[in-house]
Amino acid sequence: MSEANCVTCGGTVALPNDVEVGEIVDCGSCGTELEVVGVDPVELDEAPDLAEDWGE
Amino acid sequence: MDVGLLYSRIRPDEKLLLTELRERGHEVHKVDVRKATFGLDSPPEPLGECDVVLDRCMATSRSRYASRFVEHYDLPVVNSPETAKVCSDKVETTLALSEAGVPTPETTVAFTRDSALEAIEAFGYPCVLKPVVGSWGRLMAKLESRSAAEAVLEHKETLGHYEHSVFYVQQFVEKPGRDLRVLTLDGEPVAAMSRSSDHWLTNAATGAETETFEIDGEVERLAREASAAVGGGVLGVDLMELGEGAEEGYTVHEVNHTVEFKALNAAVDVDVAGEIVDWLEAEYATPTAEVES
């Protein structure tokens, strides 16, 4: 388990060991949806908004 | 195998696939379609070496165009852009199912508010108004009165993208509080679940409760036929039971081409990602020459 800081509130976000670029995680402190944009080192950004035609 | 993965988000579904592929020693080349560009002459760098490319784009438009480019580069792509084109558009899906003789809910398409209201009145209440493109149950309307129909039609016409002025009106099917999802690999059913809810929408994405469903002969036949009707591949076929249960038959209301399977995987004993990778290996792995010992 690794950790990174939320880009919105600065809180600590726990990440699985096999975290992937492109994976979406939630900040447990402020609830912001975050996207993993780098894994070495782990880097987070705010996840893009839902587009109108997203989904299966 | 070298496997390309077109994505814009790594959902738990993609994570399951990536883990399975890597554990079996396959080389995975992830391509974020938000960053990649697709020219006419050659594919984005990592895709050129791939034995197969998986389209796991969440956005319908990206899925359709990116998979079309991959096909243009003469690379095998799952699912095919033809399948994506049919499945991503409810009008195309309805026509494909109907033309293949697969039972599907009665549907009328209208292009103006007045003609849509005429179609709705012909169905009677309740009936359903759906966007032609969309997922997760968004923007679906169960119309229970003329005044509700008039309001929704005006909102769609005024606020919507032009696609929302393609009015897709469908009969309301009195399903028994659940619908069914069958995952198929070129028509072969792999696993199925029921999705139950007190709400008329029973999408897993809207919080429906899921449970394993034993596939019977009729469901298997319809899943195979629905898969063939839209061009095959890795698909999620959605069915509803008519009336109280299976005795009165089924209707196929949707076929999903970038099928999400995390809920199915949790509901059944089958390793869904494992089954998908088994199928990919059987279809796309280049046979290696046997070495004599």
Side-chain angles (χ1 to χ4, degrees):
Chain A
M1 190 76 81
S2 58
E3 291 181 342
N5 290 328
C6 172
V7 293
T8 301
C9 73
T12 304
V13 181
L15 300 161
N17 288 330
D18 62 348
V19 68
E20 291 271 348
V21 169
E23 197 167 340
I24 302 297
V25 293
D26 291 326
C27 173
S29 303
C30 69
T32 300
E33 202 174 46
L34 302 161
E35 177 181 354
V36 178
V37 294
V39 290
D40 192 21
V42 173
E43 202 181 333
L44 302 175
D45 202 351
E46 276 193 50
D49 287 336
L50 195 70
E52 110 284 346
D53 63 345
W54 281 30
E56 62 178 353
Chain B
M1 284 194 298
D2 280 73
V3 181
L5 185 93
L6 302 171
Y7 78 98
S8 47
R9 271 191 181 197
I10 300 296
R11 294 167 287 183
D13 314 85
E14 283 73 46
K15 196 81 183 279
L16 287 165
L17 280 174
L18 286 168
T19 303
E20 189 68 29
L21 285 163
R22 288 177 180 145
E23 280 179 358
R24 296 194 195 190
H26 299 301
E27 196 71 40
V28 183
H29 307 277
K30 288 163 62 185
V31 175
D32 184 344
V33 294
R34 294 169 299 177
K35 295 175 183 164
T37 56
F38 296 84
L40 295 179
D41 297 329
S42 56
E45 176 108 17
L47 295 184
E49 306 298 317
C50 291
D51 298 296
V52 62
V53 177
L54 297 183
D55 165 34
R56 295 295 307 177
C57 295
M58 290 175 73
T60 304
S61 50
R62 295 174 190 172
S63 170
R64 284 182 54 184
Y65 292 123
S67 61
R68 179 71 184 89
F69 269 101
V70 174
E71 183 186 62
H72 173 75
Y73 306 132
D74 282 334
L75 293 169
V77 56
V78 175
N79 285 318
S80 75
E82 290 75 22
T83 294
K85 187 179 171 186
V86 174
C87 292
S88 64
D89 184 315
K90 288 189 175 63
V91 176
E92 296 281 0
T93 305
T94 296
L95 289 169
L97 292 172
S98 176
E99 286 163 6
V102 178
T104 194
E106 194 62 40
T107 303
T108 301
V109 171
F111 301 118
T112 64
R113 204 193 323 176
D114 287 346
S115 58
L117 190 58
E118 202 174 298
I120 289 165
E121 292 272 296
F123 271 107
Y125 302 98
C127 66
V128 179
L129 191 60
K130 297 180 177 179
V132 288
V133 173
S135 50
W136 296 341
R138 289 187 303 259
L139 298 176
M140 307 271 272
K142 180 184 175 189
L143 302 173
E144 306 203 67
S145 70
R146 184 183 173 101
S147 56
E150 287 171 342
V152 174
L153 290 172
E154 183 180 4
H155 289 170
K156 281 174 71 75
E157 197 174 56
T158 306
L159 300 174
H161 185 264
Y162 71 88
E163 280 180 335
H164 293 297
S165 291
V166 179
F167 300 104
Y168 178 98
V169 186
Q170 198 162 62
Q171 75 176 114
F172 178 75
V173 175
E174 288 283 0
K175 60 189 176 191
R178 67 177 193 174
D179 74 353
L180 309 173
R181 155 65 59 87
V182 186
L183 190 136
T184 58
L185 300 172
D186 258 350
E188 184 73 33
V190 168
M193 65 177 174
S194 63
R195 303 178 291 195
S196 306
S197 174
D198 292 336
H199 198 277
W200 72 280
L201 291 173
T202 43
N203 301 65
T206 57
E209 285 183 22
T210 57
E211 201 177 324
T212 189
F213 177 81
E214 291 299 325
I215 300 171
D216 61 38
E218 183 67 356
V219 168
E220 179 173 341
R221 182 179 70 81
L222 292 174
R224 284 182 191 281
E225 290 179 4
S227 168
V230 302
V234 181
L235 297 169
V237 180
D238 293 346
L239 308 92
M240 291 184 282
E241 293 148 290
L242 298 168
E244 288 303 304
E247 310 79 53
E248 296 182 49
Y250 300 91
T251 188
V252 178
H253 59 286
E254 200 164 306
V255 185
N256 298 279
H257 72 288
T258 47
V259 56
E260 293 171 336
F261 54 86
K262 58 183 178 292
L264 177 65
N265 201 58
V268 300
D269 289 333
V270 177
D271 173 5
V272 177
E275 293 282 338
I276 293 172
V277 175
D278 282 348
W279 178 78
L280 289 170
E281 288 173 340
E283 293 289 317
Y284 298 101
T286 310
T288 50
E290 281 188 28
V291 180
E292 283 182 34
S293 55

